[in-house]
Amino acid sequence: MSLALKSEQYANELWRYKNTTGAQQHYFRTGLAAVLWRFLALHEACIAAHCAVPGFSAVTTVPSTSGREIHPLRTMVADMVGATRGRYRDLLTPTSEACALGRTGSSSRYISLALWGENVLLVDDTWTTGHHAQSAAAALKAGAGSVAIVVLGRHLNLTYGETATLVEQARLRSFSWDVCALRPWAHG
């Protein structure tokens, strides 16, 4: 949905929504839930059209492999975001080797409940290497019809490679809720 640049506001909020407590945690979760809700209200149909499916009957999240019993993203998607609340299902479970895999992509990181050709919208909070989301999608694809991934923030470090140049180009574009990456013209 957005770039999350290291040490900048959005990356900070993506860290705080799961690593703070009390009122501060609620504040950041509510803000991110509102962003996700608005994005899906405007662009979930774009994602479905891109996947050539009529829609997504199931929504799930990439589960934590860091030992969190209930991941805050699950709480947001299952309980707070109206666009996903009625379709949310806990479909994925980390395997015993999930932590040992680190940032390596592997179809054995997660186990999926049985799916019978359902189209699934998979939500993740941050994309650094993409291995967790891709591993989760691979597990779902064993039974799903189509799997699409929506990520709240693409984590970027401006000091890595050509990242600064790419971010500079991205900053030249004006933000609009009505424009998405799949259909880069106003259509909301």
Side-chain angles (χ1 to χ4, degrees):
M1 294 177 3
S2 181
L3 300 179
L5 307 176
K6 185 176 182 179
S7 301
E8 292 193 14
Q9 181 181 350
Y10 196 56
N12 182 38
E13 291 183 16
L14 285 166
W15 184 86
R16 290 182 180 277
Y17 98 99
K18 59 184 172 184
N19 294 301
T20 57
T21 59
Q24 192 177 74
Q25 181 184 69
H26 180 72
Y27 173 81
F28 288 109
R29 287 183 185 183
T30 301
L32 289 172
V35 168
L36 178 61
W37 194 339
R38 180 146 189 206
F39 174 84
L40 291 175
L42 291 169
H43 302 295
E44 185 175 342
C46 304
I47 299 165
H50 185 77
C51 294
V53 298
F56 302 98
S57 58
V59 178
T60 197
T61 54
V62 176
S64 174
T65 57
S66 65
R68 280 189 177 89
E69 198 167 302
I70 298 178
H71 196 290
L73 182 62
R74 186 226 179 265
T75 301
M76 285 172 34
V77 176
D79 301 331
M80 297 172 74
V81 177
T84 56
R85 187 182 306 129
R87 297 177 289 154
Y88 185 84
R89 291 172 43 200
D90 288 313
L91 296 174
L92 295 162
T93 305
T95 63
S96 59
E97 64 186 77
C99 286
L101 290 168
R103 290 188 173 183
T104 304
S106 174
S107 60
S108 62
R109 182 183 303 274
Y110 301 105
I111 296 171
S112 174
L113 292 179
L115 293 163
W116 307 103
E118 296 171 79
N119 298 320
V120 180
L121 184 63
L122 175 64
V123 181
D124 200 3
D125 54 4
T126 57
W127 181 290
T128 304
T129 63
H131 291 151
H132 285 243
Q134 291 173 345
S135 297
L140 291 167
K141 287 288 288 177
S146 198
V147 177
I149 302 171
V150 169
V151 182
L152 295 174
R154 171 63 170 103
H155 183 77
L156 294 173
N157 184 339
L158 292 172
T159 63
Y160 182 78
E162 299 294 317
T163 303
T165 301
L166 296 172
V167 169
E168 186 178 314
Q169 291 169 355
R171 289 185 201 257
L172 295 173
R173 287 176 264 158
S174 297
F175 173 80
S176 171
W177 279 106
D178 294 335
V179 177
C180 73
L182 298 173
R183 293 170 30 179
W185 57 86
H187 63 275

